[in-house]
Amino acid sequence: MKYLRVLILSLLPVAAEAVTIEDRRGPQDFQTIPQRVVALDWTMATQLLDLDLAPIGAPEIELYRDWVRDPAMPASVQEIGRRDAPDLETLARLRPDAIIGCDRSADDVSSLERIAPVLVFDCFSARHDNIAEARRIYLALGALFDRERLAMERLATAESEIAGHAADIAPDVAQLGTAAVVRLNGDATAWVYGSNSFAEAALESLGLSNTLPQAASRWGVALRPVEELASADRGALLAILPHQADPALFESPLWRFLPAVRDARYLEVDPVWSYGGALALLRHVRAFHAALSGPGA
Amino acid sequence: MRLALRIAPPATAVLAALVAGHLWVGSDLPPSRMAELLIGSPPETFEDIRFSHATLPRMALALMTGLALGLAGSLFQQVTQNLLASPLTLGAASGAWLAMVAGTLIAPTLAAEHGAWLSLLGASLAFGLVVAIAGLRGLMGLHAVLAGMAVNLLLGAVASALLLLKSPYFGHLFVWGAGDLGQTGWDRTLWLLPRLLPVLAIALLLGRGLALLRTGAAGAEARGMTLAPFLAIAVLLALALTALSVTAVGMIGFVGLLAPNLARLSGARRPVEELLASAALGGILLLGADLIAVIASNALPDMVPTGAATAVLGAPALIWLLGRRLGAQDHIRFELPPGPARLSRRTKFAVLLAAVALPSVAFLVEQNPEGWSLTLPEALILEFRWPRVIAAAAAGLGMALSGVILQRLVRNPLASPDILGMSSGATFALVGAAVLGGGSVHDFSAGLAVAGSLCVLAMLLWFGRRHGHAPAALALIGIALGALLDALVKFALAAGSEDSFAIVGWLGGSTYRVGPEAAVALALSMLAALALTFAFRRWLTLLSAGDTVAAGRGLSLPLARPASMTLAASIAAVVTAFLGPVSFVGLLAPHMAVMLGARRVETQILLAGVLGALLMTCSDWLGRMALHPMQLPAGTIAAVLGGSYFVLLLARGRILQQ
């Protein structure tokens, strides 16, 4: 009896903080709030940074600073190697209390679990809505780190800011009606954003429909010949920087004759990362708004 | 001329049909408007521009590039007297491509301005390496193609290491690497044309020399022809054509290999006839493949690069075409590379020392954020380390065994499981499932890899049976599979997604995903393979002595050949299922063993096994630690080390004895 009381007492403070998070495999129990967290990919890194948490380790940080930029990766974060093969020895040395990642295979998860408890989420899949899933994961992480309120606030603020952007450019939108989002690539191809991408969701929240719809896929993007951009016969054609296009493309007759270019409906968008976390939607809306109401528009 | 009269009508008809197809698919304009635009009416709508600045230049470029590749292939084949010679199989195309990739990553402006010279340099270096490995006389046979495949693997490994470290944000490189003919104007075409014409003109002047060459090198010299400068000019022209086509549109395989063979099939006899017919057929082939690529691009969510279409068409065509012409007449005796007659005491001691030192280094020497150190790792880190060391050693042992068996079976010291397509089957199954199923290559099981290997083995056995398991037939399947696989991978890469990145990583052959149980399973199965190979030792000795000797000693060839082939392929399949494709180890380890003096089969099996295990242990350690925490695949490092070993051999003048 005495022992039982001791046992219950010893459990109490822990039980008060215990939290259960639903990941791909089902409910995962955490007895305490993890302090030292490793993000296995850029998507999860942005989700954590958007909760004002700095991971202790993340992959390919140098490239992150080139491509993602916002949210900024603090200098304290340690490099853990390639994002498809993070170095397990480095992870073990970091002594994390939790490892968080997207779409890892079951075998990878079981080796990671020897280091620390793992949360693995299905972030990108053709079978679900990537954007809704990003929100759900963001809230789940908020619950794990006892920052649920912050997460809710951030999402609410984002929503009202998005509504503000939408209201702000409503006159332009009424005129345009539609837009398409692409990344130019090489001298004759372009990635076109379609269903299941943050880019298309951002267009929709601004009240624009996608002029170049693509079937839903895992990443929400398709590689197409550049001449297909001619189908964007109305509305804005938004190209996300940095260009990977040959400068020659912009000189070519084909480019100059593209309806969107000829009618000056072609606009460039400041760099924004297409595979971020829940707040990526807001970042896309901001970037699109800036482009649509900028000097080029 | 009679040939021209016979070939021209059907060729023109096919060409007209393909052009009509391109116009049908690539433009919505009515034919009357097309005609107006052609005679100079100014374009008004985007459809007009699309016709005159996308569809037309695309067709022109397809014809010109195909012509260049067909001509290059014909020159290579006539100079080397080798049916399997081509820009791709002799390493020239991958050399050009790697030079462009490295140039674009390191000095983008230079690559943009002087791309053609850069790729000519790359093509020449790669071809030079092939010549050096195979020897000048070796260019006439299987040697050259095997050496070319080895060089392709090496350059491919270097390119994929660059890509892994530079990440997938060079998407345009991938599209171009897959050979895309999409055009947005006439620039490329107008760049290519003035460079192509003089090369073409000079090539046609080589007819008399090529005719003399057919009488054999000795005969040509007896008639007062100085061979060296003539050969140099012919080869340089072929390399220039390869470099031009790679610079203009990227990597297009098979056209240079198929066109000359089709030309001969349709009756081209004299050298100039063969050159002209190959050029014409090359143009038609590429135009046709491009039409398929355009149609597939319209039907699929992602664009299909032209290079992928050429391989999908070309591989089966090649097998069918050459399968009809390969005889079982193959009386090569297996020539061991030079080396001492027996293992010296010093060699034994050195190998023993390495066998203790290298694994210790792999376990104890590490690079961490503080720098290099020699430490006994803590339990958890050791738990991640030992399976990788064991798996690397076991994989190296297995690939070496597979290599010993194949080199004796094919009777060629340049044969190896990766070059003959033994690992391609497994790779093909996994990458294919990932590409078609739209998942990650890591989601699939080892079972699928083994199933893929077994399919290839069945194909090899069936195909081999028709040709008495002639080595050339084996090499051919290897080449066809390798190129098909390459096209599939490039198609996946062109999409430029995260999934493609995972595929590049897996193709390097890495121990990263081998857990403790898998490592033990792999080690045990490789030890079993060692015992089995040992049991085959008498067969292997007889097989490498030549068919007549073997049959005279009472060896049943119809039984021994498929049995040893099955053993070699199964070993390679198991390794590939656990690590992904591991190249070069199966080629190098048996070779090194012989050069150290292991001339009898028993000693070669043992020593090659030990050397293979050590080579992989060392490669894996370098891959884990050299750029810590960035992990490089062990197979990639092994290929780079292997390539360097060849270059070192060449530098010391130890070229294969013919």
Side-chain angles (χ1 to χ4, degrees):
Chain A
M1 197 66 227
K2 197 175 81 175
Y3 286 114
L4 189 64
R5 216 167 51 205
V6 171
L7 190 71
I8 287 172
L9 281 175
S10 69
L11 280 177
L12 266 178
V14 178
E17 292 185 9
V19 62
T20 303
I21 301 294
E22 186 83 24
D23 80 348
R24 169 202 285 178
R25 298 155 302 164
Q28 307 295 323
D29 296 325
F30 284 85
Q31 297 308 324
T32 54
I33 298 175
Q35 300 299 315
R36 301 173 56 77
V37 184
V38 168
L40 290 178
D41 47 65
W42 292 352
T43 308
M44 280 306 163
T46 60
Q47 294 273 44
L48 290 174
L49 291 166
D50 283 336
L51 287 167
D52 297 342
L53 291 162
I56 53 166
E60 301 184 28
I61 293 169
E62 215 172 302
L63 280 168
Y64 179 99
R65 296 202 171 106
D66 287 346
W67 283 88
V68 187
R69 297 188 193 176
D70 182 27
M73 181 77 77
S76 64
V77 185
Q78 264 214 35
E79 176 63 57
I80 61 167
R82 276 170 35 207
R83 60 192 185 285
D84 63 326
D87 181 28
L88 295 174
E89 294 184 11
T90 301
L91 288 182
R93 263 190 223 106
L94 282 172
R95 307 218 181 287
D97 331 316
I99 298 173
I100 300 183
C102 280
D103 311 315
R104 299 273 151 180
S105 71
D107 288 350
D108 284 8
V109 171
S110 61
S111 29
L112 290 164
E113 286 203 302
R114 302 217 299 269
I115 300 172
V118 177
L119 281 174
V120 57
F121 296 97
D122 287 320
C123 303
F124 295 95
S125 161
R127 287 183 297 277
H128 68 214
D129 176 353
N130 286 341
I131 291 86
E133 209 54 30
R135 275 181 69 99
R136 204 188 65 74
I137 294 167
Y138 184 62
L139 288 170
L141 292 174
L144 171 63
F145 295 107
D146 197 20
R147 298 188 172 212
E148 234 165 338
R149 183 177 301 172
L150 177 78
M152 299 274 214
E153 273 171 20
R154 288 273 156 93
L155 288 174
T157 318
E159 228 161 281
S160 61
E161 192 185 326
I162 290 172
H165 286 295
D168 196 37
I169 60 165
D172 304 330
V173 166
Q175 217 176 7
L176 286 168
T178 77
V181 184
V182 300
R183 275 182 200 265
L184 296 172
N185 175 42
D187 54 1
T189 52
W191 278 293
V192 182
Y193 286 95
S195 267
N196 219 12
S197 68
F198 279 105
E200 184 174 282
L203 289 182
E204 281 166 4
S205 40
L206 287 173
L208 293 158
S209 61
N210 191 346
T211 334
L212 300 174
Q214 306 293 326
S217 63
R218 181 173 180 192
W219 304 103
V221 66
L223 182 71
R224 304 301 311 162
V226 80
E227 57 205 62
E228 283 188 19
L229 301 187
S231 312
D233 50 0
R234 59 218 154 80
L237 177 63
L238 301 168
I240 301 177
L241 296 169
H243 285 317
Q244 301 198 48
D246 269 337
L249 172 66
F250 302 108
E251 302 301 310
S252 67
L254 190 87
W255 178 258
R256 289 201 309 269
F257 261 85
L258 276 179
V261 177
R262 220 159 69 163
D263 318 343
R265 290 182 283 106
Y266 164 75
L267 299 168
E268 291 180 338
V269 181
D270 285 334
V272 57
W273 181 239
S274 321
Y275 308 103
L279 297 192
L281 182 62
L282 170 63
R283 293 191 176 98
H284 277 76
V285 168
R286 275 181 197 156
F288 292 172
H289 178 195
L292 288 165
S293 56
Chain B
M1 278 304 97
R2 261 177 313 168
L3 174 79
L5 289 175
R6 210 178 57 231
I7 288 189
T12 316
V14 171
L15 185 65
L18 289 175
V19 169
H22 264 282
L23 294 177
W24 173 262
V25 175
S27 176
D28 297 337
L29 292 174
S32 56
R33 178 68 189 145
M34 288 185 191
E36 280 172 23
L37 286 167
L38 279 175
I39 52 176
S41 153
E44 287 154 22
T45 61
F46 178 78
E47 255 329 299
D48 290 354
I49 278 281
R50 186 175 159 209
F51 168 76
S52 60
H53 285 78
T55 310
L56 286 185
R58 181 171 187 144
M59 285 197 290
L61 198 65
L63 281 171
M64 279 160 52
T65 314
L67 185 142
L69 286 167
L71 192 60
S74 185
L75 279 171
F76 274 132
Q77 293 194 5
Q78 293 196 54
V79 167
T80 59
Q81 308 280 307
N82 185 342
L83 298 186
L84 293 178
S86 77
L88 183 75
T89 46
L90 296 181
S94 2
W97 189 61
L98 180 61
M100 288 298 282
V101 170
T104 309
L105 294 178
I106 296 157
T109 37
L110 179 86
E113 279 169 22
H114 305 291
W117 293 109
L118 199 65
S119 56
L120 180 58
L121 180 73
S124 310
L125 286 176
F127 180 70
L129 187 59
V130 169
V131 174
I133 292 174
L136 266 179
R137 313 267 306 270
L139 282 180
M140 311 241 165
L142 192 57
H143 256 8
V145 175
L146 291 176
M149 297 295 287
V151 167
N152 280 342
L153 283 173
L154 166 68
L155 300 179
V158 176
S160 65
L162 278 174
L163 296 177
L164 275 180
L165 294 172
K166 287 283 179 182
S167 261
Y169 303 115
F170 290 95
H172 54 295
L173 269 185
F174 288 143
V175 173
W176 175 69
D180 176 41
L181 287 174
Q183 296 301 304
T184 53
W186 285 92
D187 301 2
R188 287 277 166 88
T189 323
L190 295 176
W191 174 90
L192 186 59
L193 191 62
R195 289 164 176 79
L196 196 57
L197 288 176
V199 181
L200 187 65
I202 301 171
L204 295 180
L205 296 177
L206 296 178
R208 198 177 144 267
L210 289 171
L212 278 179
L213 200 62
R214 285 192 186 182
T215 59
E221 286 189 317
R223 297 190 196 182
M225 178 173 152
T226 31
L227 213 50
F230 174 79
L231 285 177
I233 290 172
V235 164
L236 195 63
L237 285 180
L239 289 171
L241 287 164
T242 306
L244 283 174
S245 68
V246 169
T247 314
V249 299
M251 287 283 271
I252 304 267
F254 278 109
V255 173
L257 185 57
L258 272 178
N261 281 298
L262 283 173
R264 276 188 297 273
L265 202 69
S266 52
R269 290 285 169 269
R270 288 181 310 133
V272 177
E273 273 180 357
E274 208 174 304
L275 288 177
L276 282 171
S278 304
L281 285 166
I284 291 176
L285 275 176
L286 189 52
L287 193 66
D290 190 41
L291 180 58
I292 288 179
V294 175
I295 293 172
S297 294
N298 289 339
L300 294 172
D302 279 308
M303 197 194 77
V304 177
T306 316
T310 45
V312 169
L313 283 179
L318 179 77
I319 290 184
W320 171 80
L321 188 81
L322 296 185
R324 304 172 44 208
R325 320 179 43 149
L326 281 172
Q329 75 317 344
D330 186 44
H331 305 298
I332 324 169
R333 263 196 72 251
F334 178 61
E335 291 271 356
L336 289 171
R342 55 184 52 238
L343 289 180
S344 67
R345 187 170 292 179
R346 226 178 61 191
T347 310
K348 284 180 188 163
F349 180 72
V351 170
L352 199 66
L353 190 70
V356 175
L358 280 176
S360 320
V361 166
F363 271 114
L364 304 176
V365 178
E366 61 177 42
Q367 197 189 180
N368 48 38
E370 285 80 57
W372 288 93
S373 69
L374 191 144
T375 35
L376 189 64
E378 54 177 289
L380 181 60
I381 287 183
L382 195 63
E383 217 176 296
F384 291 126
R385 206 173 277 182
W386 75 257
R388 297 184 69 175
V389 179
I390 299 289
L397 165 69
M399 289 320 264
L401 294 174
S402 190
V404 171
I405 299 171
L406 284 172
Q407 290 187 5
R408 301 233 164 213
L409 183 72
V410 178
R411 294 194 210 107
N412 191 315
L414 289 176
S416 82
D418 36 311
I419 290 173
L420 295 181
M422 300 272 175
S423 2
S424 294
T427 315
F428 204 87
L430 285 169
V431 175
V435 172
L436 299 174
S440 162
V441 80
H442 306 309
D443 298 343
F444 300 100
S445 63
L448 184 66
V450 175
S453 292
L454 291 178
C455 284
V456 172
L457 179 66
M459 209 164 89
L460 277 171
L461 289 174
W462 174 81
F463 195 79
R465 204 171 42 91
R466 290 177 48 204
H467 300 282
H469 298 288
L474 286 181
L476 186 66
I477 296 236
I479 294 167
L481 267 174
L484 245 183
L485 178 70
D486 206 40
L488 186 70
V489 169
K490 285 189 168 142
F491 168 61
L493 284 180
S497 76
E498 218 46 22
D499 302 331
S500 349
F501 192 57
I503 289 175
V504 179
W506 186 79
L507 286 173
S510 167
T511 55
Y512 180 82
R513 288 186 161 81
V514 183
E517 300 83 7
V520 172
L522 182 63
L524 290 177
S525 47
M526 288 306 118
L527 289 174
L530 178 63
L532 267 173
T533 314
F534 222 78
F536 271 63
R537 64 189 183 278
R538 184 173 158 271
W539 281 13
L540 292 176
T541 309
L542 288 176
L543 278 173
S544 50
D547 295 2
T548 32
V549 179
R553 297 270 192 89
L555 177 71
S556 157
L557 282 175
L559 173 70
R561 271 185 171 166
S564 14
M565 199 147 76
T566 306
L567 178 62
S570 313
I571 299 174
V574 172
V575 172
T576 309
F578 281 100
L579 271 77
V582 174
S583 51
F584 261 99
V585 181
L587 173 63
L588 279 183
H591 204 262
M592 283 164 75
V594 173
M595 292 190 64
L596 290 173
R599 304 189 83 72
R600 296 186 40 216
V601 172
E602 295 85 345
T603 30
Q604 196 195 7
I605 291 173
L606 283 177
L607 185 58
V610 172
L611 290 174
L614 290 178
L615 179 64
M616 269 306 273
T617 309
C618 180
S619 304
D620 180 59
W621 171 72
L622 278 173
R624 282 186 291 119
M625 292 302 166
L627 294 173
H628 193 268
M630 296 287 171
Q631 305 281 294
L632 278 177
T636 302
I637 306 267
V640 174
L641 288 181
S644 322
Y645 167 83
F646 267 125
V647 175
L648 190 77
L649 279 187
L650 302 172
R652 292 175 49 196
R654 305 280 296 272
I655 298 172
L656 281 179
Q657 303 296 301
Q658 305 300 316

